[in-house]
Amino acid sequence: MHQLNWSDLQFVIALHREGSIRAAARYLGVNHTTVLRRISIVESVVGSSPFERREGKYLATKQGLALVAAAEKMEDAQFEAARKIEALGDDISGPISVSMPETLSQYFLAADIGEFIARYPNVDLSLHSSIDFVDLDRADADVVIRISNNPPEHLIGRKLFKYDRSFYGSKSYLRKISTGEQAARWLGWTNDSDQPEWIRNSPYPDAPIALRIDRPLDRHIAAVHGLGLIFEACFLADQEPELLQLDGAMREPDRDIWVLTHPDLKDSPKVTALRQHLVAALLNKSNLMQE
């Protein structure tokens, strides 16, 4: 008789989190028929379906939620074991991963990352560029650089400094505004109101938002191409020859920059080496990020 194990319960977790067979398959890196087959095995063992389908989504039943809770305890134990095994290594070698916003990885720390892999050739470094705060408890990364005033309290690491933001526009766009050929308009975030506070405090407080973009680097590129004015990190805009700070605009501090890791990894030599390298690189360039 088949007994449920961690391999089976992974499919329960995935379907619960993703809500559809195809999304669960992507989450697990398998095809959708595999998900259907494994969920069918779970159903045969427990005697009923742990999910019901409602409005096109798979929703866990009461029994399904109990299975998910049990599975997540097993998942947490697996991640904890993986972190502790990772911390046992006594040399700077093997796989390690870092997550940081793409604005930092592409425009600010690329050369420093190159220096790290040159210094430690036995390290297999993976870089994840993302504005999302990856889950260190789930081993989504070993080290993260994050911009936040309130990072998770249980993580360890170092708060460095706040970075500055200001208002910018491309040379061509500002030329069109000055000649009256183009009315000033802003590039905003997808969750901005029609007249957010940052626009009210700008040199063009009455200008509307022309385009809403959810990722910082995409907004930056749109500004470079003259699609609108932008309020963004000075370390990003100041490196772009096409962008100019608006007349009368001040630099103002935004959020803190942190370099963080999970407590279980604090004594890992390779994690410590990477964390220290990134801290030093950021501190060496702090004059580019703040006045």
Side-chain angles (χ1 to χ4, degrees):
M1 179 179 176
H2 186 90
Q3 301 264 334
L4 287 184
N5 55 37
W6 167 237
S7 178
D8 298 318
L9 292 176
Q10 284 184 89
F11 289 83
V12 175
I13 288 179
L15 188 53
H16 172 67
R17 288 175 178 164
E18 300 300 313
S20 77
I21 297 295
R22 292 193 179 277
R26 287 195 299 270
Y27 179 89
L28 293 168
V30 299
N31 59 51
H32 73 283
T33 56
T34 300
V35 177
L36 286 170
R37 178 172 56 82
R38 298 299 288 273
I39 293 296
S40 177
I41 290 173
V42 173
E43 290 174 356
S44 67
V45 172
V46 301
S48 63
S49 176
F51 296 95
E52 59 181 5
R53 198 162 184 189
R54 224 185 296 163
E55 298 179 355
K57 290 193 64 115
Y58 283 81
L59 301 175
T61 63
K62 184 176 180 180
Q63 186 179 41
L65 289 173
L67 281 175
V68 168
E72 288 180 334
K73 287 182 180 178
M74 296 174 69
E75 183 183 51
D76 289 342
Q78 183 189 50
F79 286 131
E80 182 181 5
R83 290 193 305 268
K84 290 184 175 178
I85 290 170
E86 176 75 14
L88 292 176
D90 58 1
D91 62 350
I92 303 177
S93 65
I96 187 172
S97 60
V98 58
S99 174
M100 66 182 72
E102 57 192 352
T103 50
L104 288 178
S105 63
Q106 294 188 33
Y107 279 80
F108 204 67
L109 292 175
D112 302 284
I113 293 167
E115 290 174 5
F116 180 81
I117 59 178
R119 183 180 300 175
Y120 303 108
N122 294 323
V123 165
D124 179 10
L125 180 64
S126 295
L127 169 63
H128 305 285
S129 294
S130 173
I131 59 174
D132 300 322
F133 208 122
V134 299
D135 192 343
L136 294 182
D137 294 327
R138 294 174 52 82
D140 290 342
D142 299 310
V143 178
V144 296
I145 300 177
R146 278 298 170 262
I147 296 171
S148 173
N149 287 335
N150 296 290
E153 292 183 0
H154 71 290
L155 301 181
I156 65 165
R158 184 168 173 182
K159 179 173 77 172
L160 301 182
F161 45 77
K162 293 182 183 294
Y163 71 97
D164 289 344
R165 292 199 297 177
S166 192
F167 301 96
Y168 295 85
S170 72
K171 295 175 182 177
S172 60
Y173 193 74
L174 293 175
R175 195 160 45 243
K176 290 177 182 178
I177 292 174
S178 67
T179 61
E181 181 182 348
Q182 171 73 60
R185 298 198 299 173
W186 289 99
L187 299 173
W189 297 94
T190 51
N191 60 354
D192 275 330
S193 64
D194 289 340
Q195 206 72 17
E197 184 178 359
W198 62 266
I199 289 182
R200 296 196 299 271
N201 295 333
S202 76
Y204 292 92
D206 298 320
I209 294 177
L211 178 63
R212 300 171 190 271
I213 304 175
D214 62 350
R215 300 194 71 83
L217 195 54
D218 292 337
R219 291 172 70 250
H220 171 79
I221 293 171
V224 171
H225 286 281
L227 301 187
L229 304 174
I230 193 170
F231 180 47
E232 76 169 357
C234 297
F235 74 82
L236 183 57
D238 290 344
Q239 294 187 72
E240 177 53 60
E242 180 59 22
L243 292 181
L244 293 175
Q245 191 170 346
L246 302 188
D247 288 342
M250 304 293 290
R251 295 168 67 107
E252 59 182 70
D254 192 58
R255 290 163 293 167
D256 296 316
I257 295 179
W258 295 78
V259 180
L260 300 164
T261 192
H262 194 280
D264 288 347
L265 299 177
K266 65 183 176 63
D267 296 323
S268 167
K270 62 184 175 184
V271 170
T272 299
L274 178 58
R275 196 172 71 240
Q276 290 177 344
H277 184 85
L278 293 172
V279 166
L282 287 164
L283 290 175
N284 286 339
K285 298 180 179 181
S286 63
N287 63 309
L288 300 176
M289 304 188 82
Q290 58 178 182
E291 285 189 325

